[in-house]
Structures are given as structure tokens and as C-alpha cells.
Amino acid sequence: GAGVSQSPSNKVTEKGKDVELRCDPISGHTALYWYRQSLGQGLEFLIYFQGNSAPDKSGLPSDRFSAERTGGSVSTLTIQRTQQEDSAVYLCASSLPGGGREQFFGPGTRLTVL
Amino acid sequence: EDQVTQSPEALRLQEGESSSLNCSYTVSGLRGLFWYRQDPGKGPEFLFTLYSAGEEKEKERLKATLTKKESFLHITAPKPEDSATYLCAVQAGAGNMLTFGGGTRLMVKP
């Protein structure tokens, strides 16, 4: 079946511009996660959505980062006023609800801020 | 704060040379320990979930084990196609997010 999809696969932007990254989870997966993978920091959690509950935003590095999930499916991660340190691969994952569930990752969006 | 440490950072093996990768963790209330494989330019691919000490899981040439402080990923008679970065992650406490280790980059030479 279809896995997690993300778009775009690559994004190059100029410092100070806003960017939007999209994630389409596996059908039926009510839990959706955003992570960031950079050379110096490894894989870091950003934000988590579960059904209609309020998202867990505890991993967002600054208020320039936000995310929403419409209709319990597609999610968009928005980074405002991008900085060079935002350059990284942004990964989306989805899972069935509940603890201990395996998370399935998309291919990621590589963001480069010039 | 949950901590996950993987060793070694990099491992070079000859084809057929078995070895083990280590994942040490310090968490409060482990709900699951996960192993993933990541190829360059791709997202992590799920391999195993382990839930309690003493548990073992196998898939082809890979076997994952879990104790109260660490997990091992044993690779038996590896092939060049096993070359990848292997990531360990834990889910603990009340949150469902994963905390990842830094990964082990495995290179298997023919």
C-alpha cells in the first residue's frame, strides 16, 4: 500500500523567506509526527498530532515554526523567516494510535536556506 | 531527560564477518525500543520494536535483543546490501515521540 509521502522533496530558499512543507500520512494512521534531521543534531522530534487532540508542540525550536493538520490527514509544517540554521531534512512519520506503535517515515524534504 | 547513545559511530566489516551494534538508553518508563535502517537520501525504514527486557526479534540476517539498559542489533554474515545507517530510538513516559540515538554507519565490503 501507499506509504507516507512528502513534498517537495527538495526546497531551496533565501534567508528570511517563509516555506511550507507537506506530509501525507498512511491512510488510517491517526498519529502524525514531524522530525528534523541535521548533521550536527541527528534526528529530533518537532511536533506530534493525534486525532482531534491538541498537538504536542514541545519539540518546536522557536515560534517561527508551526504546523497544522487539516481533516485529520494531511499536515503542513511552516517555517517563517527562515534562517541558515533551519537547513536540514524534515521528516514526517505516521502511526496507528497508542504507545509502542511503530512509526513509518516518509522520504523527507531537504531544506536549504541560502 | 531521555538519552540514547549508539556505538560505534561507524563500523566497517568484510562480507560474512558477523558483529553487533549497541544502543544504550536512559529513560523513565520505557514503552518501546525501535530499530530503523536508513539509506542515504531516504527516510528511516522500520525494522523492529522491542518492549521488555529479554525480548528478541529476528529478520533475515538481523537479530535485535533488549536488556534493561541497552539493546543490541546483531548482524550475522552481513552482505554489502546491509550497508546503511542503523538508528535506535526509544519511546518513553507519557509522550509518543521517539528519541533517537546518533546512529551507527555500517559499511560491508565484498
Coordinates of all heavy atoms in Angstrom, one line a residue, chain B residues 33-90:
Chain B
L33 N 11.4 0.2 22.3 CA 12.7 0.5 21.7 C 12.6 0.1 20.3 O 12.2 -1.1 20.0 CB 13.8 -0.2 22.5 CG 15.2 0.2 21.9 CD1 16.2 0.4 23.1 CD2 15.7 -0.7 20.9
F34 N 13.0 1.0 19.4 CA 12.8 0.8 18.0 C 14.1 0.8 17.2 O 15.0 1.6 17.5 CB 11.9 1.9 17.4 CG 10.5 2.0 18.0 CD1 10.4 2.6 19.2 CD2 9.4 1.4 17.4 CE1 9.1 2.7 19.8 CE2 8.2 1.5 18.0 CZ 8.0 2.1 19.2
W35 N 14.3 -0.1 16.3 CA 15.4 -0.1 15.4 C 14.9 0.3 14.0 O 13.9 -0.3 13.5 CB 16.1 -1.4 15.3 CG 17.0 -1.7 16.5 CD1 16.7 -2.4 17.6 CD2 18.4 -1.2 16.7 NE1 17.8 -2.4 18.5 CE2 18.8 -1.7 17.9 CE3 19.2 -0.5 15.9 CZ2 20.1 -1.5 18.4 CZ3 20.5 -0.2 16.4 CH2 20.9 -0.7 17.7
Y36 N 15.7 1.2 13.3 CA 15.4 1.6 12.0 C 16.7 1.5 11.1 O 17.8 1.6 11.7 CB 15.0 3.0 11.9 CG 13.6 3.3 12.4 CD1 13.3 3.5 13.7 CD2 12.5 3.3 11.5 CE1 12.0 3.7 14.2 CE2 11.2 3.6 12.0 CZ 11.0 3.8 13.3 OH 9.7 4.0 13.7
R37 N 16.5 1.3 9.8 CA 17.6 1.3 8.9 C 17.4 2.6 8.0 O 16.3 2.8 7.6 CB 17.6 0.1 8.0 CG 18.5 0.1 6.8 CD 18.3 -1.0 5.8 NE 19.0 -0.8 4.6 CZ 19.8 -1.6 4.1 NH1 20.0 -2.8 4.6 NH2 20.5 -1.3 2.9
Q38 N 18.4 3.3 7.7 CA 18.3 4.5 6.9 C 19.4 4.4 5.8 O 20.6 4.4 6.1 CB 18.4 5.8 7.7 CG 18.1 7.0 6.8 CD 18.0 8.3 7.6 OE1 18.7 8.4 8.6 NE2 17.2 9.3 7.1
D39 N 18.9 4.4 4.5 CA 19.8 4.5 3.4 C 20.0 6.0 3.0 O 19.1 6.8 3.3 CB 19.3 3.7 2.2 CG 19.3 2.2 2.5 OD1 20.4 1.7 2.6 OD2 18.2 1.6 2.6
P40 N 21.1 6.4 2.4 CA 21.4 7.8 2.0 C 20.2 8.4 1.2 O 19.8 7.8 0.2 CB 22.7 7.7 1.2 CG 23.4 6.5 1.7 CD 22.2 5.5 2.0
G41 N 19.8 9.5 1.6 CA 18.7 10.2 0.9 C 17.3 9.7 1.1 O 16.4 10.1 0.4
K42 N 17.2 8.8 2.0 CA 15.8 8.2 2.2 C 15.4 8.4 3.7 O 16.3 8.6 4.6 CB 15.8 6.7 1.8 CG 16.1 6.5 0.4 CD 15.9 5.1 0.0 CE 16.0 4.9 -1.5 NZ 15.8 3.4 -1.9
G43 N 14.1 8.2 4.0 CA 13.7 8.2 5.4 C 14.0 6.9 6.1 O 14.2 5.9 5.4
P44 N 14.0 6.9 7.4 CA 14.2 5.6 8.1 C 13.2 4.6 7.8 O 12.0 4.9 7.7 CB 14.1 6.1 9.6 CG 14.4 7.6 9.6 CD 13.9 8.0 8.3
E45 N 13.7 3.3 7.7 CA 12.8 2.2 7.4 C 12.7 1.3 8.7 O 13.8 0.9 9.3 CB 13.4 1.4 6.3 CG 12.7 0.1 6.0 CD 13.5 -0.8 5.0 OE1 14.4 -0.3 4.4 OE2 13.1 -2.0 4.9
F46 N 11.5 1.1 9.1 CA 11.3 0.3 10.4 C 11.8 -1.1 10.3 O 11.6 -1.8 9.3 CB 9.8 0.3 10.7 CG 9.4 -0.6 11.8 CD1 9.7 -0.2 13.1 CD2 8.8 -1.8 11.6 CE1 9.4 -1.1 14.2 CE2 8.5 -2.7 12.6 CZ 8.8 -2.3 13.9
L47 N 12.5 -1.5 11.3 CA 13.0 -2.9 11.4 C 12.3 -3.7 12.5 O 11.7 -4.7 12.3 CB 14.5 -2.9 11.7 CG 15.4 -2.4 10.5 CD1 16.9 -2.4 11.0 CD2 15.3 -3.3 9.3
F48 N 12.5 -3.2 13.8 CA 12.0 -4.0 15.0 C 11.4 -3.0 16.0 O 11.9 -1.9 16.2 CB 13.1 -4.8 15.6 CG 13.8 -5.7 14.8 CD1 15.1 -5.5 14.4 CD2 13.3 -6.9 14.3 CE1 15.8 -6.3 13.6 CE2 13.9 -7.8 13.6 CZ 15.2 -7.5 13.2
T49 N 10.5 -3.6 16.9 CA 10.1 -3.0 18.1 C 10.4 -4.0 19.2 O 10.0 -5.2 19.1 CB 8.7 -2.6 18.2 OG1 8.4 -1.8 17.0 CG2 8.4 -1.7 19.4
L50 N 11.0 -3.6 20.3 CA 11.2 -4.4 21.5 C 10.5 -3.7 22.7 O 10.6 -2.5 22.8 CB 12.7 -4.6 21.8 CG 13.5 -5.3 20.6 CD1 15.0 -5.2 20.9 CD2 13.1 -6.8 20.5
Y51 N 9.8 -4.5 23.5 CA 9.1 -3.8 24.6 C 9.6 -4.1 26.0 O 9.4 -3.3 26.9 CB 7.6 -4.3 24.5 CG 6.9 -3.9 23.2 CD1 6.7 -4.7 22.2 CD2 6.5 -2.5 23.1 CE1 6.0 -4.3 21.0 CE2 5.8 -2.1 21.9 CZ 5.6 -3.0 20.9 OH 5.0 -2.6 19.8
S52 N 10.2 -5.3 26.2 CA 10.6 -5.6 27.6 C 11.9 -6.4 27.5 O 12.3 -7.1 26.6 CB 9.5 -6.4 28.3 OG 9.2 -7.6 27.5
A53 N 12.6 -6.3 28.7 CA 13.9 -6.9 28.8 C 13.8 -8.4 28.6 O 12.9 -9.1 29.0 CB 14.5 -6.7 30.2
G54 N 14.8 -9.0 27.8 CA 14.7 -10.4 27.5 C 14.1 -10.7 26.1 O 14.3 -11.8 25.6
E55 N 13.5 -9.7 25.6 CA 12.8 -9.9 24.3 C 13.8 -9.9 23.1 O 14.8 -9.2 23.2 CB 11.8 -8.8 24.0 CG 10.8 -9.1 22.9 CD 9.7 -8.0 22.8 OE1 9.7 -7.1 23.6 OE2 8.9 -8.1 21.8
E56 N 13.6 -10.8 22.1 CA 14.4 -10.9 21.0 C 13.5 -10.9 19.7 O 12.4 -11.5 19.8 CB 15.3 -12.1 21.0 CG 16.2 -12.2 22.2 CD 17.1 -13.5 22.1 OE1 16.9 -14.3 21.2 OE2 18.0 -13.6 22.9
K57 N 14.0 -10.3 18.6 CA 13.3 -10.4 17.4 C 14.3 -10.6 16.2 O 15.4 -10.0 16.3 CB 12.5 -9.2 17.1 CG 11.2 -9.1 18.0 CD 10.2 -8.1 17.6 CE 9.0 -8.2 18.5 NZ 8.0 -7.1 18.3
E58 N 13.9 -11.3 15.2 CA 14.8 -11.6 14.1 C 14.2 -11.4 12.8 O 13.0 -11.5 12.6 CB 15.2 -13.1 14.1 CG 16.2 -13.5 15.1 CD 16.7 -15.0 15.0 OE1 17.5 -15.2 14.0 OE2 16.3 -15.8 15.8
K59 N 15.0 -10.9 11.8 CA 14.6 -10.7 10.5 C 15.8 -10.9 9.6 O 16.7 -10.2 9.6 CB 14.0 -9.3 10.3 CG 13.6 -9.0 8.9 CD 13.0 -7.5 8.9 CE 12.6 -7.1 7.5 NZ 12.1 -5.7 7.5
E60 N 15.8 -12.0 8.8 CA 16.9 -12.3 7.9 C 18.2 -12.4 8.7 O 18.3 -13.2 9.6 CB 16.9 -11.4 6.7 CG 15.7 -11.4 5.9 CD 15.7 -10.4 4.7 OE1 16.7 -9.6 4.6 OE2 14.8 -10.5 3.9
R61 N 19.1 -11.6 8.4 CA 20.4 -11.6 9.0 C 20.5 -10.8 10.3 O 21.6 -10.7 10.9 CB 21.5 -11.2 8.0 CG 21.7 -12.1 6.8 CD 22.7 -11.6 5.8 NE 22.3 -10.3 5.2 CZ 21.4 -10.3 4.2 NH1 20.9 -11.4 3.7 NH2 21.1 -9.1 3.6
L62 N 19.4 -10.1 10.6 CA 19.4 -9.2 11.8 C 18.7 -9.9 13.0 O 17.6 -10.5 12.8 CB 18.7 -7.9 11.4 CG 19.3 -7.1 10.3 CD1 18.5 -5.9 10.0 CD2 20.7 -6.7 10.6
K63 N 19.2 -9.6 14.1 CA 18.6 -10.0 15.4 C 18.7 -8.9 16.4 O 19.8 -8.5 16.7 CB 19.2 -11.3 15.9 CG 18.6 -11.8 17.2 CD 19.3 -13.1 17.6 CE 18.8 -13.6 19.0 NZ 19.5 -14.9 19.4
A64 N 17.6 -8.5 17.0 CA 17.6 -7.4 18.0 C 17.3 -8.0 19.4 O 16.4 -8.9 19.5 CB 16.6 -6.3 17.6
T65 N 18.1 -7.6 20.4 CA 17.8 -8.0 21.7 C 17.7 -6.8 22.6 O 18.2 -5.7 22.3 CB 19.0 -8.9 22.2 OG1 20.2 -8.2 22.2 CG2 19.1 -10.2 21.3
L66 N 17.1 -7.0 23.8 CA 16.9 -5.9 24.7 C 17.2 -6.3 26.2 O 16.7 -7.4 26.6 CB 15.4 -5.4 24.6 CG 15.0 -4.2 25.5 CD1 15.8 -3.0 25.1 CD2 13.5 -4.0 25.4
T67 N 17.9 -5.5 26.9 CA 18.1 -5.6 28.4 C 17.5 -4.3 29.0 O 17.0 -3.5 28.3 CB 19.5 -5.8 28.8 OG1 20.2 -4.5 28.6 CG2 20.2 -6.8 27.9
K68 N 17.6 -4.2 30.3 CA 17.1 -3.0 31.0 C 17.8 -1.7 30.7 O 17.4 -0.6 30.9 CB 17.0 -3.3 32.5 CG 15.9 -4.3 32.9 CD 15.8 -4.4 34.4 CE 14.7 -5.4 34.7 NZ 14.5 -5.5 36.2
K69 N 19.1 -1.9 30.1 CA 19.9 -0.7 29.9 C 20.3 -0.5 28.4 O 20.8 0.5 28.1 CB 21.1 -0.8 30.8 CG 20.9 -0.6 32.2 CD 22.2 -0.6 33.0 CE 21.9 -0.5 34.5 NZ 23.2 -0.4 35.3
E70 N 20.2 -1.6 27.6 CA 20.7 -1.5 26.3 C 20.1 -2.5 25.4 O 19.4 -3.5 25.8 CB 22.3 -1.7 26.3 CG 22.8 -3.0 26.8 CD 24.3 -3.0 27.1 OE1 25.0 -2.1 26.6 OE2 24.8 -3.9 27.7
S71 N 20.3 -2.2 24.1 CA 19.8 -3.1 23.0 C 21.0 -3.4 22.1 O 21.8 -2.5 21.9 CB 18.6 -2.5 22.3 OG 18.2 -3.3 21.2
F72 N 21.0 -4.6 21.5 CA 22.0 -4.9 20.5 C 21.3 -5.3 19.2 O 20.2 -6.0 19.2 CB 22.8 -6.1 21.0 CG 23.7 -5.8 22.2 CD1 23.3 -6.0 23.5 CD2 25.0 -5.2 22.0 CE1 24.1 -5.7 24.6 CE2 25.8 -4.9 23.0 CZ 25.4 -5.2 24.3
L73 N 21.9 -4.9 18.1 CA 21.5 -5.4 16.8 C 22.6 -6.2 16.3 O 23.7 -5.8 16.0 CB 21.2 -4.2 15.9 CG 20.6 -4.6 14.5 CD1 19.2 -5.2 14.7 CD2 20.6 -3.3 13.6
H74 N 22.4 -7.5 16.3 CA 23.4 -8.5 15.8 C 23.2 -8.7 14.3 O 22.1 -9.0 13.8 CB 23.2 -9.8 16.5 CG 23.2 -9.7 18.0 ND1 24.4 -9.6 18.8 CD2 22.2 -9.6 18.9 CE1 24.1 -9.5 20.1 NE2 22.7 -9.5 20.2
I75 N 24.3 -8.6 13.6 CA 24.3 -8.9 12.1 C 25.1 -10.1 11.8 O 26.3 -10.1 12.1 CB 24.8 -7.6 11.4 CG1 24.0 -6.4 11.8 CG2 24.7 -7.9 9.9 CD1 24.4 -5.1 11.1
T76 N 24.4 -11.1 11.3 CA 25.1 -12.4 11.0 C 25.4 -12.5 9.6 O 24.5 -12.3 8.7 CB 24.2 -13.6 11.5 OG1 23.9 -13.4 12.9 CG2 24.9 -14.9 11.2
A77 N 26.7 -12.8 9.3 CA 27.1 -13.0 7.9 C 26.6 -11.8 7.0 O 25.9 -12.1 6.0 CB 26.7 -14.3 7.4
P78 N 27.0 -10.6 7.3 CA 26.4 -9.5 6.5 C 26.9 -9.5 5.0 O 27.9 -10.0 4.7 CB 27.0 -8.2 7.2 CG 28.3 -8.7 7.9 CD 28.0 -10.1 8.3
K79 N 26.0 -8.9 4.2 CA 26.3 -8.7 2.8 C 26.4 -7.2 2.5 O 25.9 -6.4 3.3 CB 25.1 -9.3 2.0 CG 24.9 -10.8 2.2 CD 23.8 -11.3 1.3 CE 23.6 -12.8 1.5 NZ 22.6 -13.4 0.7
P80 N 27.0 -6.9 1.4 CA 27.2 -5.4 1.0 C 25.8 -4.7 1.1 O 25.8 -3.5 1.4 CB 27.8 -5.5 -0.4 CG 28.5 -6.8 -0.4 CD 27.7 -7.7 0.4
E81 N 24.7 -5.3 0.7 CA 23.5 -4.6 0.7 C 23.0 -4.3 2.2 O 22.0 -3.6 2.3 CB 22.4 -5.4 0.0 CG 22.2 -6.9 0.4 CD 22.9 -7.8 -0.5 OE1 24.1 -7.6 -0.8 OE2 22.4 -8.9 -0.7
D82 N 23.6 -4.8 3.2 CA 23.3 -4.4 4.6 C 23.9 -3.1 4.9 O 23.7 -2.6 6.0 CB 23.8 -5.5 5.5 CG 23.0 -6.8 5.3 OD1 21.8 -6.8 5.1 OD2 23.7 -7.9 5.5
S83 N 24.8 -2.5 4.1 CA 25.4 -1.2 4.3 C 24.3 -0.2 4.4 O 23.5 0.0 3.5 CB 26.4 -0.9 3.2 OG 27.4 -1.8 3.2
A84 N 24.3 0.6 5.5 CA 23.3 1.6 5.8 C 23.6 2.2 7.2 O 24.6 1.7 7.8 CB 21.9 1.0 5.8
T85 N 22.9 3.2 7.6 CA 22.9 3.7 8.9 C 21.8 3.1 9.7 O 20.7 3.1 9.3 CB 22.8 5.2 9.0 OG1 24.0 5.8 8.3 CG2 22.8 5.8 10.4
Y86 N 22.1 2.5 10.9 CA 21.2 1.9 11.7 C 20.9 2.8 12.9 O 21.8 3.2 13.6 CB 21.7 0.5 12.2 CG 21.7 -0.5 11.0 CD1 22.8 -0.5 10.1 CD2 20.6 -1.3 10.7 CE1 22.7 -1.4 9.0 CE2 20.6 -2.1 9.6 CZ 21.6 -2.2 8.8 OH 21.6 -3.0 7.7
L87 N 19.6 3.1 13.1 CA 19.2 4.0 14.1 C 18.4 3.3 15.2 O 17.6 2.4 14.9 CB 18.3 5.1 13.5 CG 18.9 6.0 12.5 CD1 17.8 6.8 11.7 CD2 19.9 7.0 13.1
C88 N 18.6 3.7 16.4 CA 17.9 3.2 17.6 C 17.1 4.3 18.2 O 17.6 5.5 18.2 CB 18.9 2.7 18.6 SG 18.3 2.3 20.2
A89 N 15.9 4.1 18.6 CA 15.1 5.1 19.2 C 14.2 4.5 20.3 O 13.9 3.3 20.3 CB 14.1 5.7 18.1
V90 N 13.9 5.4 21.3 CA 13.0 4.9 22.4 C 11.8 5.8 22.5 O 11.8 7.0 22.1 CB 13.8 5.0 23.8 CG1 15.0 4.0 23.8 CG2 14.2 6.4 24.1

